Amino acid sequence: QVQLVESGGGLVQPGGSLRLSCVASGSIVSINAMGWYRQAPGKERELVATIASGSTLDYADSVKGRFTISRSIAKDMVSLQMNSLKPDDTGVYYCYADIRRSVSHRNAYWGQGTQVTVSS
């Protein structure tokens, strides 16, 4: 059993900042990649940022220069620092992890989601 637990969402004014965190727990051998996706009302889920085990980073064009993803391998944790937030950043943010539980079991796992609302 693997769980991803997110924290840090909320309501913020345009131009403000929020920090999201996600911790993975359970039967984990290794984590290959972690990241964040988001889903706005009426839209499909989209990639926000990911970080692989080799520290390779990937960001959506819309957040480059404003968001920073970081990871603690020792703590099985990923964080997303979001600055200069815009109303278009509003949505439910989901933590993602590519986790190996054994030699033969490797799956993608998702958190329950945390709401981020950017509004004045």
Side-chain angles (χ1 to χ4, degrees):
Q1 190 79 359
V2 172
Q3 281 190 318
L4 300 181
V5 179
E6 302 129 331
S7 61
L11 172 65
V12 64
Q13 292 186 344
S17 298
L18 281 175
R19 185 176 180 86
L20 305 182
S21 293
C22 171
V23 178
S25 63
S27 180
I28 298 172
V29 172
S30 62
I31 301 179
N32 302 296
M34 300 187 80
W36 295 90
Y37 286 69
R38 68 187 179 190
Q39 187 166 18
K43 295 186 177 181
E44 294 185 352
R45 190 175 298 189
E46 63 175 1
L47 179 147
V48 176
T50 61
I51 180 167
S53 57
S55 298
T56 300
L57 306 178
D58 188 20
Y59 291 97
D61 288 343
S62 60
V63 307
K64 285 180 180 177
R66 300 187 298 121
F67 291 11
T68 302
I69 189 170
S70 60
R71 178 178 170 184
S72 169
I73 294 177
K75 297 181 180 179
D76 289 337
M77 182 173 72
V78 64
S79 298
L80 185 69
Q81 178 66 40
M82 304 186 293
N83 299 327
S84 302
L85 283 160
K86 305 175 181 179
D88 284 349
D89 295 317
T90 294
V92 178
Y93 282 67
Y94 295 93
C95 177
Y96 158 86
D98 176 3
I99 293 175
R100 181 174 295 283
R101 296 177 57 200
S102 70
V103 172
S104 58
H105 288 85
R106 176 179 172 178
N107 295 99
Y109 293 86
W110 296 89
Q112 78 284 359
T114 184
Q115 178 69 44
V116 172
T117 303
V118 185
S119 175
S120 55

